[in-house]
Amino acid sequence: MGQANRRHHFVPDFLLKQWTGSDKKLAYFTWLPNGTLHTDRCSSRGVGFEEHLYSQANPSGTKDVSLERELFTALIDTPSAPVHVKLLNGKLGDLTSPEREAWSRFLVAQLVRVPSMIQYLCDVGSQMMLADIKDIEPPDEIKKQLGHLTLQQYLETDGAWLLGNASKRALEDIIKSAQLNRVFLDAHWAVHTVTGCNLDLVIGDRPLLLEGRMTNTFLFALPLSPKSIFLAANDAESIKNIAADRLRDVVCAFNKESAVVADKYVYATDGQQRRMVERYLRKPSGPDDQHIVAGLRSALRAARASL
């Protein structure tokens, strides 16, 4: 199986390559096990991925990579890339309805496609499905195949891959969710440029930032390039306030947030932001409680408790 099929990007290349320089590489920062902040340069295709992140298991033990190709590439990233170009070129107001819908799906996808959220959805999905089949009596034919195991015992052991597959297949329904997409489609959109600032924006391996709560007043932010950031808010004043701030303050605030909520990596044009990253990037031993994922975990936990 080719490397391209194994590498499943949760931060798409069309986004990351905006941070590459004349060497066609970007700078990245990450903590090493010995507590040292490691910095190096790499191509945009060489970061922001995890092998087989969206793959499903086959009975033979091989990996089915169709979900990455048919969902995240075909439905999410490919339609979003030209919208990203329009946003960079100051054509937000020229977006068609299909383009706004494509960008909305892209934003929703950023909520759930990161590795920590994929793992959580698989864990919670498996628990809920096991609870649903707890008292189900399978047909005699299935009983013969299970041998001495109950259906629940089988799915907890040898058949656990089936539950993982089902959870990953649910990703498409989540990303297409009308309720989640309405959050973005009904919001006020803007692209804020910081070309007059001598500091560049950074981007983390959890690139979508959230201030507030999706059920209340919120502001989403997504760095589009070192000099521009996409904003979506349900209160237009939030965007106006950002536009009124000093450019350097805006860049510093968003860069701090990108580092704080990142899982393992922060990406930049160069090493200029090293001190900031060293101060705010969570070490592997630190609690992972600052990202949207933490809020979604709580929401899913509450939803499960109400079932």
Side-chain angles (χ1 to χ4, degrees), residues 128 298-307:
M128 292 178 72
S298 298
L300 285 172
R301 208 173 286 126
R304 181 166 171 254
S306 68
L307 293 176

Side-chain angles (χ1 to χ4, degrees), residues 54-205:
Y54 312 122
S55 291
Q56 300 174 79
N58 289 319
S60 62
T62 59
K63 301 288 187 179
D64 176 1
V65 299
S66 61
L67 189 64
E68 194 278 335
R69 182 180 64 251
E70 296 170 7
L71 175 59
F72 289 102
T73 298
L75 182 67
I76 306 303
D77 293 343
T78 298
S80 300
V83 180
H84 177 252
V85 173
K86 277 194 169 185
L87 295 176
L88 289 177
N89 291 333
K91 296 182 178 180
L92 170 61
D94 295 339
L95 295 183
T96 64
S97 291
E99 286 173 330
R100 286 180 64 88
E101 290 168 3
W103 192 248
S104 174
R105 284 195 300 272
F106 176 74
L107 296 172
V108 173
Q110 303 319 300
L111 294 172
V112 296
R113 71 190 296 183
V114 296
S116 53
M117 196 61 201
I118 295 295
Q119 184 60 56
Y120 186 74
L121 288 173
C122 286
D123 291 345
V124 170
S126 296
Q127 292 169 15
M128 292 178 72
M129 284 183 276
L130 285 170
D132 287 343
I133 59 98
K134 185 177 181 181
D135 299 319
I136 291 179
E137 187 73 14
D140 290 339
E141 290 184 6
I142 300 296
K143 284 184 178 180
K144 289 179 182 179
Q145 297 177 39
L146 295 175
H148 65 283
L149 297 175
T150 65
L151 179 58
Q152 186 174 13
Q153 288 171 334
Y154 171 72
L155 291 173
E156 288 175 329
T157 54
D158 296 345
W161 58 275
L162 291 168
L163 298 178
N165 287 356
S167 296
K168 289 183 178 181
R169 286 195 298 270
L171 285 167
E172 183 170 355
D173 291 333
I174 295 172
I175 292 169
K176 288 182 176 179
S177 162
Q179 184 176 5
L180 288 174
N181 278 276
R182 285 259 63 90
V183 169
F184 292 105
L185 291 172
D186 290 345
H188 302 275
W189 290 10
V191 175
H192 189 63
T193 58
V194 295
T195 51
C197 184
N198 61 356
L199 280 179
D200 286 341
L201 290 161
V202 302
I203 186 170
D205 58 4

Side-chain angles (χ1 to χ4, degrees), residues 288-303:
D288 185 12
D289 58 1
Q290 298 299 309
H291 184 247
I292 299 169
V293 170
L296 288 173
R297 285 172 179 159
S298 298
L300 285 172
R301 208 173 286 126

Side-chain angles (χ1 to χ4, degrees), residues 196-273:
C197 184
N198 61 356
L199 280 179
D200 286 341
L201 290 161
V202 302
I203 186 170
D205 58 4
R206 290 167 169 170
L208 186 63
L209 311 176
L210 171 62
E211 180 180 330
R213 287 180 170 273
M214 292 171 64
T215 55
N216 202 332
T217 303
F218 65 78
L219 170 71
F220 281 98
L222 177 74
L224 300 174
S225 77
K227 294 300 182 184
S228 60
I229 189 163
F230 172 83
L231 305 171
N234 59 350
D235 182 357
E237 288 300 314
S238 300
I239 293 176
K240 290 179 182 178
N241 291 339
I242 291 172
D245 285 344
R246 288 197 320 146
L247 289 181
R248 190 176 181 87
D249 291 342
V250 171
V251 173
C252 288
F254 282 123
N255 283 354
K256 174 185 174 181
E257 187 68 9
S258 289
V260 166
V261 305
D263 184 15
K264 298 175 183 176
Y265 292 91
V266 173
Y267 312 111
T269 52
D270 53 37
Q272 186 180 11
Q273 300 282 5

